[in-house]
Amino acid sequence: MTTTFHPALGEAARSFLSRQHHLLIDGRMVESDSGRRTDILDPATGELIATAAEASASDVDRAVDAARRAFTGPWSKTTPAERTRIMLRFASLIEANGDELAELECINSGKPLPFCRNGDVAGIAEMLRYMAGWTTKMGGETPNVSLPGEWHAYTLREPIGVVGQIIPWNFPLNMAMWKIAPALATGCTIVLKPSEQTPLTALRLGELALEAGVPAGVLNIVTGFGNPTGAAIAAHPGVDKVAFTGSGETGRRILLAAAGNLKRVSLELGGKSPVIVFPDANLEAAAAGVCSSIFFHAGQICAAGSRLYVHERAYDQVLEAVARRAKSIKLGHGMEVGTEMGPVISRRQLDRVTGYIHSGQEEGATLYAGGGTAGERGFFVQPTVLTGVKPGMAVHDEEIFGPVLCAMSFSDDADLERISATANTTTYGLAASIWTKDLGIAHKMARRLQAGIVNVNALSSPDAALPYGGYKQSGWGRERGFDAIKLYTEVKAVAINLNT
């Protein structure tokens, strides 16, 4: 296959795509032991844009060894203030190369370019700066102990060691930095595996990290498939912790693999998030929020608001506004001006999403908007709304990871307990959204919903200081905020007997 680039792509991004992309191990780009390569496609066209190395288990061994040497060597000798300065330089380099990073993210993941620039690139620079602020503030405590005699007791918060990080294809830049930034701040070293479908921006981040002064071996990047590359990271005895974002199925396999050395595990998994609209809400704002939550990035968001519950007095108005907006969304290549929604990531994902739409109709749901594919090339699914959805249907219970909204209503007979119980009828518990002007209802519902993130009159809250993670089968642990620092540290208690 011949590589094909969108004509609007800038020279810097074209130059990067034209390279042979290798593994980043111990500060150098190296070929994989296998010599095999993976085709990287533009999901908006289905055409080849680059190839990347496929790492083997032996490559993971090399990366872990490099990370261990860096952890016990130069990285362990840096002061917190030095780590801060390196991370701030890294953030500045990201901004200086923001156009290139945004274009690479756009052409590889399919998201519209403006969001890649103003959302992803700006967001990861902010995440680095936020986490850089924690390096000098991770002190321990001096507990008052009740042991006989005189004691001096204190705690230390120390880096956990070598961490393996495995990230998905939907937000390659964000998911990478949500894991890299707290690991760097705490003094850990990293073996990062991006998705085999979207490795490009992770590799570019690796180059910028070296330019910023991150020592060789601190950030290693191994590209390849879940098996063998991800599996080798999860099972490796030299990895002290694994952080994973992706599917529940893969998360369970990671847990089993991590049992070998009882490594620490954090998981950010799926979601089937409810959006609950009360009749007093600003209904146009709610409809806009519903559309943004489920149709942005073609619904390929773990926290997407895929289950809509609207009071029956407002149901028709909200549904009509949602359908109107859904039908007006401009689908297209992310590099094209005016594009509001891009493709799903692959042919396989397109088939998965359309399969759910068809199964929903077969189980009794009604197609209210969309439902088909679009365009003569690429992997585009129309923004879709299903009504008549009930618990037990696959479209209601399972994560579709596509632009498919399941709409339902509730009546005056349903009190807050019943509404929240219905919203909680899922194995997931990642996010939820409440739309109402009544702060009493908002606070009461927020307490009742089993979700790690609850937004009121908002579709999301992408702030670096707010913890992100879920209840139930949406994962273990929290990213962002100080909770992310906790994921990458161990607490050591020290007690000194002053009586001898």
Side-chain angles (χ1 to χ4, degrees), residues 167-193:
I167 62 173
W169 45 258
N170 58 333
F171 285 87
L173 274 174
N174 264 305
M175 294 297 96
M177 194 54 71
W178 282 20
K179 291 174 171 56
I180 291 171
L184 292 179
T186 54
C188 293
T189 56
I190 302 160
V191 178
L192 174 74
K193 192 201 90 67

Side-chain angles (χ1 to χ4, degrees), residues 370-404:
T373 59
E376 296 180 357
R377 61 177 188 164
F379 314 123
F380 292 91
V381 179
Q382 293 175 336
T384 298
V385 180
L386 294 173
T387 60
V389 176
K390 295 180 176 60
M393 294 181 178
V395 290
H396 177 279
D397 297 349
E398 299 173 17
E399 184 178 39
I400 299 173
F401 225 59
V404 182

Side-chain angles (χ1 to χ4, degrees), residues 138-146 151-157 491-496:
M138 290 186 291
E141 298 177 346
T142 53
N144 292 318
V145 298
S146 299
W151 292 74
H152 175 54
Y154 59 93
T155 63
L156 299 171
R157 187 172 289 278
V491 175
K492 178 185 291 181
V494 180
I496 302 172

